[in-house]
Amino acid sequence: MSFEPTLLWAILLLPLTGFVVNGLTAFLAPERKQIPTLVGPGVVAAAFVIALVNFFRMSGAEHLDPVIVSYWSWMPVGSLQIDAALQLDQLSILMTLIITGVGSLIHIFSIGYMKADPGYPRYFAYLNLFVFFMLVLVLGANFPVMFVGWEGVGLCSYLLIGFWFKDREKADAGKKAFIVNRIGDFGFLVAMFLIFTNLGSLDFRDVFAAAPEMFTYGAPVVTAITLFLFLGATGKSAQIPLYVWLPDAMAGPTPVSALIHAATMVTAGVYMVARANVLFALAPLSSTVVAFVGALTALFAATIGLAQNDIKKVLAYSTVSQLGYMFIGVGVGAYAAGVFHLMTHAFFKALLFLGAGAVIHAMHEAFHATHKDWDPQDMRNMGGLRRFMPITWITMWVATLAIAGIWPFAGFFSKDEIIWQAAVHAVGPYAGWAKLIWFMALAAAILTAVYMTRLMILTFHGENRSGKEEAKHLHEVPPVMWVPLAVLAVLSVVGGWVNVPHEIADLPVLGWIPTSEWLHHWLEPLTHTADAIIAGNLGELSDTAPVGGGAGAWAVISFVLAAVVIALTARTLLGRSYRPAHEAAPATGFLRVLQNKWYVDEIYDAIVVRPVIATSRFLWRYVDQLIIDGLVNGAAHLARGFGAIGSRLQTGQLNTYAFAVIIGVILLLGFVVL
Amino acid sequence: MVIDFSSQIHYVWALMPEIVLSAWAMLVLLVDVFQRGDRSVPSSPAIGWLTLVGVGAAAVANGWLMTLQEVSATGMIAVDEFRVFTNYLFLLAAALFVLISMRYLEQENMRHGELFSLVLLSVVGMMVFAGARDLIVIFLGLELMSVAVYVLTGANRRDLRAAEAALKYFLLGAFSSAFFLFGIALIYGGTGTINLAIVSMIVGVDGLGANMLVLAGMVLLVVGFGFKVAAVPFHMWTPDAYVGAPAPITGFMAAAVKAAGFAAFGRVFMTAFPGLYDTWGAIVYWLAVITMIAPNLVALVAGNVKRMLAYSSIAHAGYLLVALAAASVLGAASFLFYLVVYTLMTLGAFAVVVLVGRQGEQFVDLDSYSGLGWQRPLLGVCMTIFLLSLAGFPFTGGFIGKVFILRAAVEKGLVPLAVILVMASLVSYWYYLRVAWYMWFREAPSADSASGITVSPAMRVALVAAVAGVVLLGIFPGQLLELAERGAATLINVQGMVGGFSAR
Amino acid sequence: MTTLLWYIFAALAIGGGVGMVMGRQPVASLLSLVLTFFSLAAIYILLEAHFIAAVQIIVYAGAIMVLFLFVIMLLNLGHDYRADLRGLAWIVVGSVSAGVIGYMLSRALTTEGAIVDQGGAEMIDAALRNHNAVGAIALPMFRDYVVPFELTAVLLLVAMVGAVLLAKRRV
Amino acid sequence: MADQSLFLAVILFAIGTVGVLVRRNAIILFMCIELMLNAVNLAFVAFSRSVGIEGQVFVFFVMTVAAAEAAVGLAIIISIFRHLESVDVKDFNLLRG
């Protein structure tokens, strides 16, 4: 059945207009805050409404094929025809809803959070631009258009991380994010060329239709393509080894962390793998790599999250860890499960970040009022905030239970499904790996419960450690900030109900929510080719976990496990007393290793960054200036000792340059004559 | 009208843009002299606008070339769409240069008339260099362009750096010209002709007609072109000359001279030596490899924006060499397209350097750009767009240009080159964005540190044109690509045009 | 006889070249170069390029070299005894690289049948007979090569404007 | 004789190259380049013995180019001498690395 999308272009154009209007305001009248207040959230909300209209019209239609709307011929040369085209299908509309929906809530929250910032219009301009590029990324109908969005969100992320540019460290964080992402982009670009040279097209429709015919299952080419794509994904979605930028990206304003570094941009890698599911299904090795890297990241980041004291750092590592889960999902071939977790994670992680933002906002105002120079983000300076900020407290507990996987919160369904799918797909040549992944995912789930409980206890429970005078200034955030929290809290509960598997629905107590598996059916038209490839090549899927037990049993076990861990952690931590940050003793032993993030930044610095800089300095100073000169002067130099080198360097550059030309002439002539 | 060159008068038609420009250059010179009369009077700004009118007139004449039809490729000058395309490119660069430099010349108290007439004459040289089909004419075009640019480099006589840059550029340029000329002599001796089309017939499609002399001559031509386009290892003059020359002229050198060098490089090798592609393709391949890698690494540590842009221009020569190495219609088309984008973004970036540099170009180090974005937002936005385009950010012309070069390379099977290109441009992000970084994320040294920057109307026109060009070519590149492809096709399909010639 | 003369002049030309490169004073170098130019003019005559030989003496030795001499005198470098020759290492490496280039070029020149033979000598003889030394050159120059000829005019204009612009004393 | 002249041209060209590498006096450097151009002229004349008279015509153009370059080059040298009172390229090191 054909389907005409409603105002598809407007979804993109609205945020772009917002960017232009807010950008002009930033330059022309930065003090007129009512313009960005209206326009910033307004355009995103309007885009959300249009997306919603499209979504309902689509869900009414049956046998929906992807709708491709081509606006103009972007790169029209020879055999490669790339259009500026958008593709509306089940996956892209879902992503659009998440981006614009969660996006508008975060925009509204920002009105309160950024109220006092002099860069208010500029902030909304960047945020709107980000939404625009993110929508380009998910709505693009071919790889190059997707790449435009891919690069664009990176740029906006960079602008927003460095938003408070007066702070040198924060500015450097933005730079780090940009550079690390370049490595990922390299993978994306190479993958694009491989796709083009092998399939002759870059349109999603053509590529995914041609791939099963062109490539055999497990062919080296498709493995290479998918591995390069995944390299791109690790950069954007902060997976090992390119995750290092995300924790540093917390330097930006907190709503930015919620929108970009939790809910949307960082999931672009997951979206890309899910989008290219046909290619990944054809490459079992790459898929296993994806899942294993995801599992490793999930576990690794969770351990770091255990020891952080900065509330945003905990959430950052938590995000890295949860993104790992999504990659497990799309890696083992359960694409809908990965997207499902992407969606629920967008709700509860946005909520957690906004909640953290509310806390930081309150702490900042309190410290500001008494001119105390304590860190408003350090959890050791908080404690007992539930009395002052009840709404924030409750909503954040909802999110914590959701991320920890407590029934009936959203995270329970999505995370449980991913862990279960890893067990189910533990067949075929890489079965051993899948079993290992299953164990790692389970372990990470336990750690998640621990660090999240720790965050909640340190922040909201126990004694207040911010100081007596400061406590008087602590109060709940205004409605413009807590209403989005409440909305997200509702979503964090019911968000998982759209995809309750029948195994859980069959259980006695947990089965209170009826089965729907709606998301699976919704995405089915996009994943059925991949499902067929997997089914055809992997053989019968397993119906028990590696240590025995079926889906229902493990749903119960993981639920009980999470609940017990939360209870134990809460009990242990509530019994301890904490000191504010400036009085606390430095961490020792293993805790210190965790606190220092396994020293990964230092290792990268030593083995990657320094050598590159050294090499370029070397080339500049020595190859360019010395070697060619020195080649000639070598003998004389040795004779006259090092003192002469300095003075010799001053002489006759011109002869040196001419000598370089001569070397070139000799090489070229030698190439043809000899 | 059909051009057949058996009658000399037809050269007048075929060379109409060059004739118009030469005449206009003399007019500019005369008007300047008579307007000033007494030598203490400064040149009138009207000279700049007069020059622009001349550029426009030449553009009209160039458009008229398209109505001409050549029947044989054995003439000295080509009348094809490739030439029309590149001529427009040089005129564009000249127009932007005039707009950028008008205020600068006043501020530095430099002579308008001589400078602008030299620019026009150097454009004549470029047109001949890139449009001729006869090696001696190409050589004369090369020299005409180069001599004018040597003078322009040293035109600010109060500046020692400019004099030094001019001397280095001149001596090395003359040195490389000698090799180029020796190459012509060898080809002349080896084939008995210096007409590109006839050379290609003698060499043959399989290259069997080439002897050792032709091969040696060919690589010496590579040396000459390599010098003009600043390919490693013939690039050593570039950073010095670019830093020393007055900033608008540096922009003109980086954009137009390089474009002319590449256009001529492409024409000579694709017209005369398609049969020897195995040889020169390999050479260009390796030149491209080192020209992409070395300058990108060196630029990482350049602390001066002019020097950074100099290394950047060398790196861009590397990307263009990739397109040349592909040597297909697509390669030549992507090459032409990239030259246009490159001209716009390079001249644009140098325009900002001119503005920020102010009197005597005191402010060319990175620190001078601190906080510039917030003090002069529009200037900051323009520079950011140029830098992003130079780095190859999507939705800019630079991105599309690189994609096309990559495509041409991949289609020809030059995958390693494509991979190096991608990696090199990712590395280049670092130093381009460092400038943007200083502009937006650094505190300005003082609140009035940008106060001396005044944007004249002419400069405004230039900046707007360059930004609009870079952005529009990023979003709607189709039209220009088609033109480039048509131009490239006329270059590649020249073999069929030698009809009527029989080897003596 | 002509062969012997050729060798004498060739030796003089090479000697002049070496003398220029090794000469300690600019004026000595310049005079050595003039010697080379004269020898080349003689060789041109031996190669039956009479008109070229005349122009070689008038333009090169007479005009260009005098220009050089003027500049040397103007800048008062005539008695500049500061040795500007680079050290032995540079001389050795420079000579070796130039030698390699020379070797490779001569190798290219000596390949069998590399040089196209279109009977140039006979054509030149005929041209010299039918027209005179000037006419033999003038015909192709103004018939076939009028475009580059006109271009040289523009080039000279550029050189003139440029030289005035650069070397004029007052700004 | 024409063949030997070609070798003479190569030798003179090489001598000029050596000069560019080993001299620091800008004027002498320039004279070395003039020698290289002359070597090419000789090659053209020598080739004209077997190819045809155009070879001699090219020599004219090369001479014009040499004259133009000489005018401009010497003007540049004068202009830099006014600043530095020197024509030694080792003194021209303001622009480096």
Side-chain angles (χ1 to χ4, degrees):
Chain A
M1 198 186 115
S2 71
F3 168 78
E4 274 297 311
T6 312
L7 296 174
L8 185 57
W9 51 271
I11 298 181
L12 285 174
L13 224 52
L14 276 166
L16 191 64
T17 318
F19 162 67
V20 172
V21 171
N22 290 330
L24 288 178
T25 313
F27 283 137
L28 302 177
E31 70 289 344
R32 301 196 54 165
K33 293 196 172 173
Q34 51 291 36
I35 297 174
T37 306
L38 275 177
V39 173
V43 288
V44 183
F48 176 66
V49 171
I50 298 175
L52 214 54
V53 169
N54 277 301
F55 172 71
F56 284 125
R57 292 190 53 213
M58 282 170 82
S59 52
E62 281 180 28
H63 304 298
L64 199 63
D65 287 329
V67 182
I68 294 167
V69 186
S70 188
Y71 292 98
W72 72 86
S73 175
W74 188 28
M75 298 187 212
V77 164
S79 56
L80 180 69
Q81 293 288 336
I82 296 171
D83 288 357
L86 302 181
Q87 174 166 344
L88 193 67
D89 58 20
Q90 290 84 352
L91 182 58
S92 61
I93 190 71
L94 191 71
M95 293 297 292
T96 306
L97 283 175
I98 295 171
I99 293 160
T100 51
V102 176
S104 10
L105 291 174
I106 292 171
H107 275 74
I108 293 168
F109 181 89
S110 300
I111 296 174
Y113 191 84
M114 299 300 287
K115 189 177 60 202
D117 198 284
Y120 189 77
R122 179 164 61 101
Y123 171 84
F124 276 104
Y126 290 164
L127 222 52
N128 284 161
L129 185 66
F130 168 79
V131 171
F132 165 73
F133 276 124
M134 192 67 209
L135 289 170
V136 170
L137 198 165
V138 297
L139 284 168
N142 52 45
F143 283 101
V145 173
M146 185 181 182
F147 187 68
V148 169
W150 187 269
E151 286 286 276
V153 291
L155 178 72
C156 295
S157 156
Y158 163 78
L159 290 172
L160 282 162
I161 295 168
F163 183 73
W164 286 313
F165 61 87
K166 284 165 192 168
D167 190 333
R168 181 69 200 273
E169 195 185 320
K170 289 176 176 172
D172 282 349
K175 205 151 59 179
K176 188 170 179 180
F178 212 93
I179 300 302
V180 171
N181 271 300
R182 294 281 77 68
I183 302 170
D185 292 346
F186 169 70
F188 194 122
L189 283 168
V190 171
M192 253 190 344
F193 287 116
L194 287 174
I195 292 171
F196 171 68
T197 43
N198 285 290
L199 296 173
S201 175
L202 285 170
D203 290 341
F204 291 149
R205 186 174 45 183
D206 302 345
V207 168
F208 301 142
E213 269 119 63
M214 292 294 293
F215 302 127
T216 52
Y217 184 71
V221 179
V222 74
T223 305
I225 290 173
T226 44
L227 282 178
F228 276 116
L229 279 179
F230 180 59
L231 179 63
T234 52
K236 196 108 293 184
S237 291
Q239 295 296 292
I240 289 174
L242 299 182
Y243 72 92
V244 284
W245 65 271
L246 184 58
D248 284 14
M250 295 301 132
T254 307
V256 168
S257 312
L259 178 62
I260 300 183
H261 307 119
T264 55
M265 183 189 84
V266 289
T267 61
V270 182
Y271 165 78
M272 187 238 274
V273 177
R275 171 62 76 195
N277 58 51
V278 175
L279 299 177
F280 279 89
L282 283 166
L285 175 64
S286 312
S287 290
T288 310
V289 169
V290 171
F292 185 70
V293 169
L296 201 62
T297 313
L299 194 58
F300 180 77
T303 59
I304 298 176
L306 287 175
Q308 298 301 309
N309 288 320
D310 184 315
I311 185 167
K312 288 183 71 181
K313 283 275 161 75
V314 178
L315 292 177
Y317 282 105
S318 160
T319 306
V320 174
S321 174
Q322 296 300 312
L323 289 166
Y325 272 109
M326 298 174 207
F327 278 108
I328 298 174
V330 293
V332 298
Y335 302 104
V339 174
F340 183 30
H341 195 56
L342 188 163
M343 183 181 89
T344 58
H345 176 259
F347 299 148
F348 58 69
K349 188 51 68 62
L351 172 51
L352 283 172
F353 264 112
L354 293 188
V359 168
I360 294 166
H361 186 75
M363 296 296 291
H364 179 78
E365 284 197 348
F367 287 153
H368 190 68
T370 59
H371 305 289
K372 204 171 193 173
D373 64 343
W374 284 12
D375 183 357
Q377 301 193 14
D378 196 316
M379 295 189 295
R380 289 171 298 184
N381 297 336
M382 301 174 183
L385 292 181
R386 71 172 189 276
R387 286 198 307 275
F388 310 104
M389 319 178 69
I391 301 172
T392 312
W393 173 60
I394 292 172
T395 51
M396 277 189 82
W397 261 116
V398 170
T400 302
L401 296 178
I403 194 175
I406 300 294
W407 185 87
F409 297 96
F412 170 74
F413 300 100
S414 58
K415 191 190 275 186
D416 186 62
E417 176 161 11
I418 286 176
I419 298 175
W420 177 246
Q421 289 290 344
V424 167
H425 286 83
V427 289
Y430 302 105
W433 289 100
K435 286 176 186 164
L436 181 61
I437 288 164
W438 179 80
F439 278 113
M440 290 162 80
L442 209 58
I446 294 170
L447 291 178
T448 308
V450 176
Y451 67 69
M452 282 314 301
T453 313
R454 174 174 173 271
L455 181 144
M456 291 306 293
I457 301 289
L458 278 176
T459 309
F460 289 103
H461 296 263
E463 298 249 320
N464 180 267
R465 295 181 291 273
S466 57
K468 278 208 174 59
E469 197 57 35
E470 286 73 20
K472 288 178 194 157
H473 295 278
L474 286 171
H475 51 79
E476 183 59 273
V477 290
V480 73
M481 289 167 79
W482 67 251
V483 169
L485 295 184
V487 175
L488 284 169
V490 172
L491 287 171
S492 300
V493 180
V494 303
W497 300 359
V498 298
N499 203 30
V500 180
H502 69 86
E503 290 93 343
I504 293 177
D506 293 344
L507 292 172
V509 182
L510 302 185
W512 171 66
I513 301 155
T515 179
S516 59
E517 301 200 354
W518 169 82
L519 191 67
H520 270 120
H521 297 306
W522 177 252
L523 292 176
E524 216 274 323
L526 293 172
T527 57
H528 73 266
T529 317
D531 292 342
I533 293 167
I534 292 173
N537 290 287
L538 215 53
E540 187 81 8
L541 294 183
S542 166
D543 60 351
T544 55
V547 294
W554 276 100
V556 176
I557 293 172
S558 71
F559 164 54
V560 172
L561 214 54
V564 168
V565 167
I566 290 176
L568 280 177
T569 314
R571 196 164 158 253
T572 318
L573 293 180
L574 278 173
R576 277 191 206 163
S577 65
Y578 286 89
R579 313 290 312 146
H582 70 114
E583 295 171 20
T588 50
F590 189 58
L591 200 58
R592 184 158 148 190
V593 175
L594 290 183
Q595 212 164 52
N596 284 302
K597 310 146 201 163
W598 296 93
Y599 294 105
V600 169
D601 279 346
E602 286 76 8
I603 293 168
Y604 277 13
D605 193 53
I607 65 176
V608 183
V609 179
R610 274 162 211 244
V612 168
I613 290 180
T615 311
S616 63
R617 267 188 208 286
F618 172 81
L619 279 174
W620 168 57
R621 188 164 296 156
Y622 297 101
V623 175
D624 237 33
Q625 308 223 328
L626 235 174
I627 292 201
I628 295 174
D629 223 38
L631 210 67
V632 176
N633 287 330
H637 276 173
L638 281 176
R640 289 197 217 164
F642 283 103
I645 296 176
S647 64
R648 269 278 160 167
L649 259 179
Q650 305 291 317
T651 67
Q653 303 268 323
L654 206 96
N655 307 80
T656 314
Y657 296 176
F659 190 57
V661 174
I662 292 292
I663 290 176
V665 172
I666 291 176
L667 288 177
L668 293 190
L669 266 182
F671 179 72
V672 294
V673 172
L674 299 180
Chain B
M1 181 159 66
V2 172
I3 296 285
D4 67 358
F5 292 136
S6 52
S7 149
Q8 295 286 341
I9 192 74
H10 280 212
Y11 278 112
V12 176
W13 313 136
L15 287 166
M16 197 48 91
E18 286 84 347
I19 292 169
V20 169
L21 268 188
S22 311
W24 211 282
M26 293 170 212
L27 177 73
V28 168
L29 209 54
L30 286 177
V31 169
D32 188 52
V33 168
F34 283 112
Q35 177 258 325
R36 288 166 44 149
D38 180 15
R39 38 169 56 202
S40 59
V41 180
S43 296
S44 152
I47 297 288
W49 298 109
L50 179 70
T51 314
L52 277 181
V53 174
V55 171
V60 172
N62 193 38
W64 176 74
L65 280 190
M66 279 194 278
T67 64
L68 303 185
Q69 176 93 43
E70 62 175 352
V71 291
S72 159
T74 51
M76 283 188 184
I77 195 96
V79 188
D80 56 12
E81 290 182 37
F82 185 85
R83 173 159 167 249
V84 173
F85 191 101
T86 50
N87 280 1
Y88 273 130
L89 176 63
F90 307 142
L91 291 171
L92 170 75
L96 284 176
F97 168 78
V98 172
L99 289 171
I100 289 167
S101 59
M102 275 156 81
R103 179 66 207 270
Y104 179 89
L105 298 183
E106 260 174 71
Q107 167 190 307
E108 302 289 323
N109 194 17
M110 283 158 75
R111 310 272 298 256
H112 289 49
E114 285 95 330
L115 273 169
F116 286 142
S117 64
L118 280 174
V119 166
L120 292 182
L121 290 171
S122 80
V123 171
V124 173
M126 290 168 195
M127 288 175 161
V128 172
F129 187 30
R133 285 221 187 95
D134 185 288
L135 283 170
I136 207 77
V137 181
I138 290 174
F139 177 70
L140 285 171
L142 165 73
E143 285 298 326
L144 181 53
M145 167 185 87
S146 305
V147 170
V149 176
Y150 301 145
V151 177
L152 288 173
T153 308
N156 191 352
R157 278 177 299 138
R158 276 174 303 278
D159 189 354
L160 170 59
R161 290 174 301 175
E164 187 182 326
L167 184 79
K168 285 181 177 172
Y169 186 27
F170 166 74
L171 282 177
L172 289 166
F175 183 57
S176 75
S177 295
F179 284 99
F180 187 84
L181 194 61
F182 209 121
I184 296 177
L186 292 181
I187 289 169
Y188 174 66
T191 63
T193 181
I194 49 169
N195 182 286
L196 300 182
I198 303 175
V199 168
S200 85
M201 265 197 45
I202 291 169
V203 168
V205 283
D206 46 8
L208 289 179
N211 52 40
M212 206 64 118
L213 274 187
V214 178
L215 283 170
M218 188 179 76
V219 297
L220 290 181
L221 295 188
V222 174
V223 174
F225 287 123
F227 182 87
K228 280 295 160 212
V229 304
V232 179
F234 312 111
H235 72 293
M236 301 279 274
W237 58 276
T238 320
D240 288 11
Y242 282 15
V243 174
I249 287 158
T250 311
F252 186 66
M253 281 159 77
V257 174
K258 183 164 293 192
F262 266 112
F265 201 162
R267 180 183 288 282
V268 169
F269 280 78
M270 289 183 204
T271 306
F273 304 116
L276 293 174
Y277 174 71
D278 287 348
T279 309
W280 65 263
I283 291 173
V284 173
Y285 183 101
W286 286 106
L287 284 182
V289 169
I290 48 175
T291 310
M292 283 190 287
I293 294 174
N296 269 313
L297 289 177
V298 178
L300 290 179
V301 290
N304 167 322
V305 176
K306 246 172 137 183
R307 187 166 283 275
M308 183 278 281
L309 285 172
Y311 282 116
S312 134
S313 88
I314 303 174
H316 281 273
Y319 309 149
L320 284 158
L321 284 171
V322 174
L324 196 59
S328 53
V329 174
L330 198 60
S334 59
F335 165 88
L336 286 178
F337 182 85
Y338 201 81
L339 280 177
V340 175
V341 178
Y342 172 77
T343 301
L344 287 172
M345 59 198 184
T346 305
L347 270 169
F350 272 104
V352 179
V353 171
V354 168
L355 282 173
V356 176
R358 279 160 275 183
Q359 174 100 45
E361 292 186 27
Q362 314 157 50
F363 303 101
V364 288
D365 54 335
L366 263 175
D367 282 322
S368 319
Y369 287 76
S370 297
L372 185 76
W374 296 106
Q375 292 179 330
R376 307 305 300 264
L378 288 176
L379 205 57
V381 168
C382 288
M383 186 65 168
T384 310
I385 290 173
F386 296 136
L387 290 168
L388 285 176
S389 181
L390 283 164
F393 192 81
F395 267 156
T396 61
F399 171 71
I400 305 282
K402 274 186 188 145
V403 168
F404 280 113
I405 291 180
L406 286 169
R407 241 207 88 204
V410 170
E411 208 162 58
K412 194 80 178 184
L414 308 173
V415 178
L417 278 188
V419 172
I420 294 173
L421 200 165
V422 169
M423 285 170 70
S425 51
L426 292 178
V427 168
S428 73
Y429 265 106
W430 176 269
Y431 56 81
Y432 289 125
L433 286 177
R434 196 159 56 149
V435 180
W437 195 257
Y438 271 76
M439 288 196 304
W440 299 102
F441 297 137
R442 277 289 185 95
E443 280 280 20
S446 66
D448 60 346
S449 59
S451 60
I453 300 176
T454 42
V455 187
S456 65
M459 183 62 112
R460 211 158 284 175
V461 173
L463 281 175
V464 168
V467 165
V470 166
V471 173
L472 284 178
L473 288 179
I475 302 175
F476 305 105
Q479 297 275 304
L480 187 69
L481 269 172
E482 255 166 57
L483 286 177
E485 222 176 348
R486 270 166 43 199
T490 60
L491 186 61
I492 304 283
N493 301 331
V494 78
Q495 268 72 39
M497 307 258 312
V498 197
F501 166 79
S502 56
R504 270 174 284 182
Chain C
M1 181 59 194
T2 49
T3 320
L4 181 66
L5 274 176
W6 187 91
Y7 276 109
I8 292 170
F9 286 118
L12 281 175
I14 293 172
V18 173
M20 176 198 62
V21 172
M22 305 304 285
R24 284 177 66 83
Q25 303 172 43
V27 175
S29 285
L30 187 129
L31 291 177
S32 307
L33 186 60
V34 171
L35 172 67
T36 306
F37 287 171
F38 271 110
S39 317
L40 283 179
I43 288 175
Y44 291 156
I45 292 175
L46 295 177
L47 291 172
E48 292 189 54
H50 308 303
F51 190 67
I52 298 287
V55 177
Q56 168 85 1
I57 289 172
I58 296 169
V59 174
Y60 255 120
I64 299 181
M65 282 300 114
V66 169
L67 192 59
F68 273 84
L69 195 62
F70 272 154
V71 173
I72 290 174
M73 295 306 175
L74 180 74
L75 304 186
N76 214 5
L77 301 173
H79 51 79
D80 187 356
Y81 289 102
R82 189 169 57 155
D84 71 292
L85 197 61
R86 286 195 150 238
L88 189 64
W90 268 100
I91 293 179
V92 171
V93 174
S95 315
V96 169
S97 355
V100 170
I101 292 178
Y103 166 74
M104 289 194 287
L105 286 177
S106 16
R107 220 182 121 120
L109 284 165
T110 44
T111 22
E112 203 57 44
I115 302 168
V116 171
D117 193 357
Q118 297 175 341
E122 291 76 44
M123 282 196 281
I124 293 172
D125 286 343
L128 287 176
R129 261 196 317 277
N130 294 339
H131 318 284
N132 49 32
V134 180
I137 294 281
L139 260 177
M141 172 120 72
F142 294 106
R143 197 183 51 211
D144 304 329
Y145 289 91
V146 70
V147 171
F149 180 79
E150 295 296 337
L151 268 174
T152 55
V154 183
L155 179 62
L156 288 173
L157 173 70
V158 169
M160 199 166 67
V161 175
V164 170
L165 183 65
L166 286 174
K168 207 173 46 156
R169 190 169 281 279
R170 271 192 40 193
V171 174
Chain D
M1 207 154 56
D3 288 352
Q4 289 96 315
S5 296
L6 284 172
F7 289 108
L8 180 60
V10 170
I11 292 168
L12 291 177
F13 194 80
I15 291 174
T17 313
V18 177
V20 173
L21 291 180
V22 304
R23 292 309 291 251
R24 288 198 318 249
N25 184 323
I27 297 183
I28 296 179
L29 273 179
F30 191 20
M31 293 195 310
C32 294
I33 294 169
E34 290 291 340
L35 179 62
M36 292 167 78
L37 291 180
N38 260 272
V40 182
N41 280 349
L42 179 59
F44 270 127
V45 173
F47 279 132
S48 79
R49 299 297 298 166
S50 53
V51 179
I53 199 146
E54 311 95 322
Q56 297 187 16
V57 178
F58 303 154
V59 174
F60 267 103
F61 299 136
V62 178
M63 282 183 184
T64 324
V65 167
E69 277 189 348
V72 168
L74 291 171
I76 291 174
I77 290 171
I78 289 174
S79 138
I80 198 165
F81 185 84
R82 292 225 175 102
H83 284 285
L84 287 176
E85 296 282 313
S86 163
V87 291
D88 192 331
V89 291
K90 92 163 182 248
D91 298 330
F92 309 156
N93 50 20
L94 212 61
L95 307 161
R96 271 186 299 132

